[in-house]
Amino acid sequence: MITSLANEKVKYARSLRRRRQRTREGRLLVEGVRLLEEAMRAGCIPALLFFQPERSESPRAQALLAQARAADVPCFAVAETVLHSLSEMVTPQGIVAVVPQPQLRPPAASNLVLVLDRLRDPGNLGTLLRTAAAAGVDEVLLGPGTVDPYNSKVVRAAMGAHFRLPLAVGLGWHGIAERLSGLTVWLADAQGEQAYDTVNWCAQAALIIGGEATGSSDKAVALAHGQLRIPMCGDTESLNAAAAAAVILFEAARQRRVQESAD
């Protein structure tokens, strides 16, 4: 059992809390049985796994540990103080692992792409990724100024979406424009000229969601073919980024289901 916070493996795992280190290593920390199950199901075999025996007694946790050992993953029992040093949660879930950042390929021809512009709140980004995966988005492009998608708060809020949804980071606006070539690009804006549910989402399309604090950047606005709004009742001016994206993306999913059933 590892009991020292100075253990080199523990220090290495903690270093992955820093974005620069995550980028350099191409790895991230995941915590909890559910997230680790998602990672392994997607083929992201851990490089290291740490568990606290008293917190890992459930059948699912034991099955996960057996699966990891069968895959020759180095598994280390740790003292509670060590687990707390690895976890960023008030109540650690008992299992923390170092896994490779998933490298999922988008379809050869994407039908629905989500572009995130200067989204800086980790919880909102994680919720957006979870929503995008649920709504059938083919790929998410993260524009400049958006929070690191492998931040631990983002990973927790996304609930496994990282291992099901292709993400593209660091493309820059030129690269994003190239990736969106041939798609109709819509930008969500409270003052948009077209209602979101009048758009033909059965065509190949992209949706840009801007950050709440600063709104959409000039580069994002220039890339869009049109701006859309969500009509609202009363004096409500806008929804937060995650809620707005959910409304629009599930309208796109609804339209596509209707078309598929008609075909």
Side-chain angles (χ1 to χ4, degrees):
M1 177 178 287
I2 297 175
T3 59
S4 172
L5 301 183
N7 179 277
E8 290 301 319
K9 295 180 178 63
V10 173
K11 288 167 65 177
Y12 172 73
R14 284 206 309 269
S15 76
L16 295 174
R17 289 181 179 176
R18 300 191 296 271
R19 180 172 189 167
R20 181 181 299 178
Q21 185 73 359
R22 288 193 296 269
T23 302
R24 180 188 301 141
E25 296 292 320
R27 292 173 170 174
L28 71 150
L29 283 178
V30 297
E31 179 174 1
V33 170
R34 178 174 177 176
L35 274 181
L36 193 49
E37 285 175 339
E38 292 273 7
M40 295 190 70
R41 192 176 297 123
C44 293
I45 305 302
L48 295 168
L49 187 152
F50 305 92
F51 67 98
Q52 213 272 316
E54 290 77 12
R55 294 178 184 268
S56 308
E57 295 178 340
S58 71
R60 282 178 65 190
Q62 289 300 309
L64 186 59
L65 285 169
Q67 182 183 356
R69 288 172 175 136
D72 294 325
V73 175
C75 299
F76 301 95
V78 298
E80 188 164 355
T81 53
V82 175
L83 182 70
H84 275 277
S85 78
L86 293 169
S87 172
E88 293 186 351
M89 301 183 69
V90 175
T91 305
Q93 296 188 33
I95 293 179
V96 179
V98 174
V99 303
Q101 292 180 4
Q103 303 293 325
L104 304 179
R105 290 183 176 275
S110 293
N111 290 311
L112 183 59
V113 176
L114 177 64
V115 182
L116 302 177
D117 176 30
R118 300 193 296 188
L119 200 78
R120 292 170 182 164
D121 181 85
N124 266 350
L125 176 55
T127 301
L128 266 164
L129 296 181
R130 184 180 182 185
T131 300
V137 168
D138 293 313
E139 182 180 16
V140 177
L141 312 181
L142 292 97
T146 295
V147 67
D148 177 21
Y150 302 110
N151 174 302
S152 61
K153 291 180 180 178
V154 178
V155 173
R156 288 200 300 273
M159 297 292 286
H162 288 76
F163 306 107
R164 302 189 298 273
L165 182 64
L167 307 179
V169 184
L171 292 177
W173 284 109
H174 179 73
I176 290 173
E178 288 186 340
R179 192 70 67 92
L180 298 182
S181 176
L183 279 66
T184 301
V185 181
W186 294 97
L187 183 142
D189 187 274
Q191 306 305 316
E193 68 273 7
Q194 187 164 345
Y196 77 101
D197 53 357
T198 64
V199 170
N200 176 17
W201 291 107
C202 294
Q204 290 182 309
L207 171 66
I208 301 175
I209 297 289
E212 294 164 19
T214 56
S216 297
S217 64
D218 292 341
K219 295 287 183 66
V221 172
L223 191 60
H225 297 114
Q227 298 186 15
L228 53 81
R229 71 184 188 280
I230 300 172
M232 296 183 218
C233 299
D235 296 327
T236 303
E237 293 184 356
S238 64
L239 301 175
N240 75 19
V247 169
I248 298 168
L249 292 175
F250 275 97
E251 169 61 16
R254 184 196 67 80
Q255 289 187 22
R256 290 166 189 238
R257 281 198 311 275
V258 170
Q259 184 184 62
E260 287 173 4
S261 62
D263 292 344

